[in-house]
Every structure is written in structure tokens, then in C-alpha cells.
Amino acid sequence: MDEGGSRIRRRVSLPKRNRPSLGCIFVAPTAAELEPGDEGKEEEEMVAENRRRKTAGVLPVEVQPLLLSDSPECLVLGGGDTNPDLLRRMPTDRGVGDQHNDSEEDMFGDYDSFTENSFIAQVDDLEQKYMQLPAHKKHATDFATENLYSESIKNKLSITTIGNLTELQTDKHTENQSGYEGVTVEPGADLLYDVPTSQAIYFENLQKSSNDLGNCSMKERDWKSSSHNTVNEELPHNCIEQPQQNDEASSKVRISSDMNRRKSIKDHLKSAMTGNAKAQTPVFSRSKQLKDTLLSEEINVAKKTIESSSNDLGPFYSLPSKVRDLYAQFKGIEKLYEWQHTCLTLNSVQERKNLIYSLPTSGGKTLVAEILMLQELLCCRKDVLMILPYVAIVQEKISGLSSFGVELGFFVEEYAGSKGRFPPTKRREKKSLYIATIEKGHSLVNSLIETGRIDSLGLVVVDEVGTTQIIGMSATLNNVEDLQKFLQAEYYTSQFRPVELKEYLKINDTIYEIDSKAENGMTFSRLLNYKYSETLKKMDPDHLVALVTEVIPNYSCLVFCPSKKNCENVAEMICKFLSKEYLKHKEKEKCEVIKNLKNIGNGNLCPVLKRTIPFGVAYHHSGLTSDERKLLEEAYSTGVLCLFTCTSTLAAGVNLPARRVILRAPYVAKEFLKRNQYKQMIGRAGRAGIDTIGESILILQEKDKQQVLELITRPLENCYSHLVQEFTKGIQTLFLSLIGLKIATNLDDIYHFMNGTFFGVQQKILLKEKSLWEITVESLRYLTEKGLLQKDTICKSEEEVQYNFHITKLGRASFKGKRTIDLAYCDILYRDLKKGLEGLVLESLLHLIYLTTPYDLVSQSNPDWMIYFRQFSQLSPAEQNVAAILGVSESFLGKKASGQAIRKKVDKDVVNRLYLSFVLYTLLKETNIWTVSEKFNMPRGYIQNLLTGAASFSSCVLHFCEELEEFWVYRALLVELTKKLTYCVKAELIPLMEVTGVLEGRARQLYSAGYKSLMHLANANPEVLIKTIDHLSRRQAKQIIASAKMLLHEKAEALQEEVEELLRLPSDFPGAVASSTDKA
């Protein structure tokens, strides 16, 4: 510190840390308290300080004066106005050279050295002032308390030794009269508050870790004190009145003692800070706290903006500027399209009305939905539900948004397959983004209604489409008016597309461009210029080789085929006629892809992929396992593979755009192509930010020409309610939910509710033979006959009768377990579980697996009787007993295998279901899909779908059993079975597979590399992970780490909630009410 104390240091104030107090802190005077001459001194000192910081290799930072608001978590600048450019001015922004150490803080913060303007220098200055005090006041010093300041100094800073912890204490609001006029000291302030975190942590742990040092220090002090007292005792009482030379000698002794003591304190602090500087920086840093404080302030400002319906959009559409930075960092998005800006600034959005918006595929619909979801999570402090059509898209979206959740402080939870908790975990502070499939989303909403928590849900976003706002988005929507009426929503549409799409038709060797202005809808474009041999003409009559070689390998291409088998055949055919030059393109990377495919298949590799991948070609359909699909998609996205032959499911699935999209034929399986399907497929053409144009080519024969011309000109198909088409999954499930949740319990209310549904809006179109009233009565009668509902008749008067309904135990079990259970199977499931209790075989898992094999997959089962008989023969006697209990005998299977006639009637559904149970049972024992695929001669993709379906159905059966006391024995058994079916891997890999995007192959890689738990993954370095794990991109590594961090945060939050619940005083605690009344 300078003499006179004119140096004023301005710092960013942070929320007070909970630390052992050192009692005092120096506080800068306010602007009003500064003397006129102080401002110039202040600027000189700031320049000097910046010069010192440059010398230390730290970039100078312009620090603006900050005022602390009432809330310790809010940072208010310039009186409370949030500055959008704050991030460029805050000391949290580091120089380029510091980017590698962004998460850590400078060890000594603003304390530049041990001697200049440092904490030790402050102590040194104060001690020097003490040494300059008059001698008679030094004599009055009490060495037992060792005050560094005389009683004449009004702020009375004292140093007391307790153990080995030194505390600085101060009196309340006293003025410093030694050059610190006008500077007040706040009571209870913490000196360590302005000390860097690393030093503060040292002082916190000093008492615990340095007892021996403290004891030695005490002994040294005691020795000095006793020595001093001994000297005093040896002196005669009249020594004080001795001549001046005696007093000077005595003073020298004391000065020497003071110097030694001061040197000891200084050396001790130097040693402590030097030692601590060598230690690892604590996890929480000064810069991170500054950023968190800024984020909190911006969220509060954005929240106020939304609540006030102001036109001020804040830094980024009412969101903190950090959100904008994260989109640039994670997704490379720096600016929104014009239509996105228009949509986000609609009055209906600002007024939180329901909204439907429709744009072409690849138009950027998802970004608008994400921004609206972030507004709800961060500013409105409400949970959000996002509903997506497929499990794969749910997992893709979770991987993409987990990083945002970690950075912005909300949870991202998966509700797909067997994952998801009902009701969802109730969070203490952080909000949740639920990403769910349609069925899981339905169950999630029901569970929130049942527990009275539906108000916590602020927004529902539906891809392909109260207190809750609903946002629907679609690329293929026609009858919008019906949806608008149903949702009472605003509608926004645009034909914007970031990359121009040109549509072509190919007939023979001629290519036509689709032109709506032309007389017949198309105009001549060009002739294919590719030399075909006679052999090639026979093998490739559609000229696919010519079309794809115009694009690959420098650009990507998708070829949509009518069937799975056709995908594989087309991929092989194309590769047969590609030149060897294609083998050299990214040859090393393609070898890595083949190597990784072998690893995830335990040494097995599909022979078709083995031949096509070296050319950069692969097929993509449901016959692949999830691991294989994911690996091939990653290779395609990074440009290692340049051509996919695929089925139509890819168009509605994960986002894999291409420069050119080719439709092999205007058919999906044997059905002629629909307009919606066509638009979905060609919508994959053109990659924003990569391509300047996208092309689609539909190959057709002369016989299909007229149908295709009608296809490309007709409007999109209408969207209709499925409540009646899927009777047991639709209207009856809806009624069970209504009555189970007590939303509507009598006939009149149920009918009134039906009028407000999408089906009710379209009843004039959909209902030709029956009225809505008749369908309502008929459905309720069916549920009553099934034993799911019970009807009560209430006579209000002689003429008026009211019919009330309440749910039965079986109905409640079906309602709870209906995640995928069709109501048509509820009574069958009850019967099977009841029969199982009579003789449940627990020597193996086979009997339980049979009970959890999905009913809806049984119809797809077509057993190979020879394989069936062979597998049955290999079963143990106990396992064969399971088949006997179910009514399937060895003689029956033997006769079926040998083709003999069967006289005895056997339930076909039971036989087929048991066959699927054999497949699942073998898979759980061997955990290798390839081996099981060969044993049962089934596509490995089908086996994995069977496993996924069984895991989901097992979870449903578990919920079903939890509601019925008679099935208590199944509960614990099904919990473990569900976990086994969900992961189907060795136990040590299960924790890793909880992370979104980590499948069996990747889990094995991570485990082998030493990443054996969530903690390992959450603390992994992305760069190290990339080098350690084969074929892992930087983006994927970051997503895996973010997902692991998200899961850890969720587990920690749940444990914290459990701890607080255990420590909370029960509301019904005896005397609690009386004591609160007394206090009042």
C-alpha cells in the first residue's frame, strides 16, 4: 500500500464465500467520498498496476466500476443496466495464450508479487507503522495477545493466536486515522473474501493439516514471551527511571524481538503461499464465479423482459449472451435466418400463445424450438417437454443439448425405450428438459397430472405434429386449419430453404427438371453422358453408377431403395463398377471404419460392408445393429463414406444430408410413394454451410410417369386423428386416462371433452356411420366389460340419471403400465401372470423372459422349426419344464420339424412367443448379437429391436405388477430383468452405457482405455479421449463428456434432495404447530 493510503483498487465483487473469517476487509471509498485529488492518483495507480500485470505476462483488462445489488447472486453494472458487451470487458475474458487454461484461475489473482502491492506487503506496511509508534505506547502492548497496532489506532486491528489459525479482528465502522480518512470498515467483513481462492483454501485447511507447525509456533511464541518476562523480572523496579542509555538498550532488545517476530510472520505466509502455489488449483475458479454471476444477472434481466412483454429482446432473444456464444461454439451458428428472427418475434410467441409453424426440411425449424425451450427453462423457470417420433432422434437430440444443460444449469432427461422415471424426479432448483418419444411423453404428462405437478411444465414442443404452451413444427403439413382449431394456435409458414433445391425426374437416359409453370410439369434438362458396356447395362439399367459418380467421392449422395434387400444389392452393384481410384480416397480412415466394425461385432463383419466400405459405400437400414448404424453415420458425417443406399426410414430419422438424393423407384416396399414421404426424402438434399445447391432425382419407368406427375403436383396429405383407427390404443386408452386422472368421470363430461379433441374437430369428416356420442358410449361399455372401469348409476331425479365411472384395480394397473401395453392385451397379461404364480420356474430366467416378451411382436414371429427343435433339445430339464407348463412339448416341436401332421391343438401365439423368448434368453446368456443371429438365422437388427421392445415391455409389466398386490413377487425380479434387457452387456459396462450415445462397442473401448465409471468420463479430457478411442470425433467426445457430467449432476441433485428430506423437520412433528404459533 502507498503511504497515505490513496491507492483505491476496484474489484468485481463476488458472492461471499463461506470461510473461516479473518475478521476485516479494506473497502474502497465511494465516488462521493473520494477527494478531488484522489481521482488522478487512482488513474496513475491503475496505469502502474496494468504495467506490472504486463510484466507478469497477463493481458491488461479494462475493469469498470461495479455496484453490488441486493441479491448476492446478481451483478449490476452502471446502476443495473445489463451491458451486452460486458463479456469483452470483464476480467473473465482471457488472452489467446490463456485459452488452454480457461477453467483455472491465476493463483494469486490481483496480488502480483510477494513484495509489491500484495497481501504480505499490506501486512508489512501495517507492521512498519506499528514500529513507528511512540515508545511508551509500545511498552503498553500486551504480548499475550500480540497486537500489531497500538490502542491509538482507532480501527484496532489485532492478531490473536488460536491454535495455529491467525485471526484479524476489527471494531465496528471505525475510521482509519493513519492516512485512511473517509474509509470505513464493514462489520463482519471477511479479509479472505478478496484473497484468491487458492490462498483461501489454504487458510481453511491450515488448522487441520498443520497442527505440528502450529504447536511449534506456539512453543516458539511462549518461549519468546517467557524469555521477555524473565528479562523484565530480572530488572529492578527502578530500572524504568534509569538514565537514557539503559532505556535505549531495552528498546533495542524489544525492536530486535519485534523484527524477528515480523520476519517470522512474513516468512510463514510466504512459505504457505509458495507451497500452495505449487498445489493444484481448486475445481471452482474466480473466473467461473464471475461468469456464473454474469449469467445469473442476464437471466434475471431476461426474465423481467419476458414478464413485462417488452419488445426489448435482450442480448439474444431474451436469453443471456452466453447462449449465443454456445451456439457459435457447439453448432457453428452465428446468425439466424430472417424467417427465424420473424418467427421468434411474433406477437403470439411473445404472448405465449400456442404456435404451429411449417417449413421445408432443412429450413432450420429445430433452432427456433430450441431457443423457445431455453427461454422457458432459464427465464420462465419451467420444465419443458420435447416430443420426437423415434428413439434414435431422441438420443441424437440429448447428445446435442447435454452440453447446453451443463453450461446453463438445467437437466436433460431421456424418456425413450425403457428409460425414464414416472413421475419425474422433483428438482430443488434446476429445471428439466424432458426429451421423449410419443408414448413416453404421453405417460410423462399423465404422471405429472396424477401427482398435481402439471403446472411445473411450461412448454411442449412436438416435432411432426392450459398452463402449458404448445409449439408444433412440421415440414409436411397440409390441413393446418384443423390443427389450429384444436390447439387454438397461431400459424406461421415460410418456403425458405437455406440451400436451393432442384428436383429432377429421370426416364431412361433423359433427365427432366420439375417445373410447375410447364404444361406437363417438367422440362427437358439433359441426357446422361456415360459410356455403358453391355454388361453394365444389364446390371444397372437405371444408370445409378452414372448418377452417383457425378457426385462422389468429393460430395455425398443418398440412394433411397424400396426394400432392405435392395439396399444391399444396389450398394454391391455400384461398387463392382467403380474404378480403383475410389479405393485411394481416405483409404486410411476407411480401414479404421472396418476395424471398428469388427471390434463392435466381436470380430464379425458383414460381408457386404466388407466389400463396399473400401469404396466409400455402405447400406443403411433396420437390419443393422445400433452400434453399426451409429458408426456408419459418424463415418458418413465426416466424409469418410460418401454414399449410402438406404430405406425411407432414414428420411424421417437422424439428420444425414447429401449433395444429391436419388430415389431408386417411386415405391416404398410395394406401396406407391406418398407426397409427404417424397418431400421428406428429397428434403435431405443440400447441406447448409457446405453445399450451394441440392439436387433430387426420382428414377421412374414409363408406366409410372402419369402417377409421378400427379405426385409432384398434388398437395400434401391431410393429417387425421388416429383415435378411431387405433381403437384400443386410441380412444379407449384416452378414456382410461381421463377417468384414472379424474379429469372427467361422468358420461356428459367425457363426451364434452371428446368434442374438444382433434378427433372431435374432424368428426364430420371421419364419422360416417356412427355419431361421436355413440362411439363414446360404446367405448365406455367395452372398458367396463373388460373389468377396467366400473359404472355407477346416480339418480338425480325421477327423470334424470347420471352415469359415473371409476377405475378398477386392474384398470389402474393397465393405466400405470400402459406405456406400451395395448389394452387388448391387458386381460391376457393378467391371466399369464396369474398362471405364472402357480408354478414360476426361477432356476433360470427363461420363464420371466417369456412373461415379458412383447405380445405385439408375436404376430411377426415365423419360427424355423428345425432351429426351434434343436434349441429346445439343448435346454436343461428345468428349462424344458417351463415349455411344458406353457403347453409346448418336445414331441410337438419334433413333428413340426419333420413336417408331420399335428392332431393336438396348441395355441399358436404361445408357441411363437416362446420361440422369441428362446432368442432373448440365448442373447442374455451370450450377449453377442452376431452369434445369436447365426443360431436363429435372423437379421441382427431384428434381434436388437426385439431386445429393445422386450426391455420396454418389461418396464411396463413392472408398473403393472406394482399396482396389484397379488403380484408382489414379480416386483424385485422384474427390476433386475429390465436392467439386463436394457443393456444386455457384462455388468461392468452398464454404468458407461447409461451415457447417451454410448453403446456396447463404444463402452468396451472406453472400459479398455481405463474409463470405467461415470466419474471417469465426466472428468475426461476430450483431446485425450480422441487419441485414446478409435474413430471418435472431437464433437462426439465432447458430447459424451457432457452427457456424463449431466448424469452425475442428476445423481448428485437426487442425493442432495434425499439428504435434505431426511434432515427436514416433519410437518406433522408433535409440537411443531404450537411452536410456530408461539413464535408468531
Side-chain angles (χ1 to χ4, degrees), residues 4 6 36 293 306 500 540 578 590 594 637 692 695 817 826 897 966:
S6 61
T293 306
I306 288 179
E500 183 186 1
D540 183 23
L578 291 178
K590 287 184 286 193
I594 291 175
S637 298
T692 55
E695 301 173 335
C826 284
E966 58 195 297

Side-chain angles (χ1 to χ4, degrees), residues 648-666:
S648 59
T649 53
L650 184 140
V654 292
N655 186 25
L656 293 174
R659 173 67 173 267
R660 176 176 288 179
V661 170
I662 301 171
L663 279 68
R664 172 79 173 73

Side-chain angles (χ1 to χ4, degrees), residues 24 33 47 56 180 334 421 434 444 457 541 553 586 644 739 748 847 870 874 973 1032:
C24 74
E33 293 172 321
V47 172
Y180 285 88
E334 296 184 354
R421 181 176 296 182
Y434 310 114
L444 178 64
L457 191 63
K586 297 193 175 183
F644 265 172
I739 297 165
D748 292 334
H847 202 167
R870 191 184 309 124
Q874 295 172 4
L973 297 171
L1032 182 70

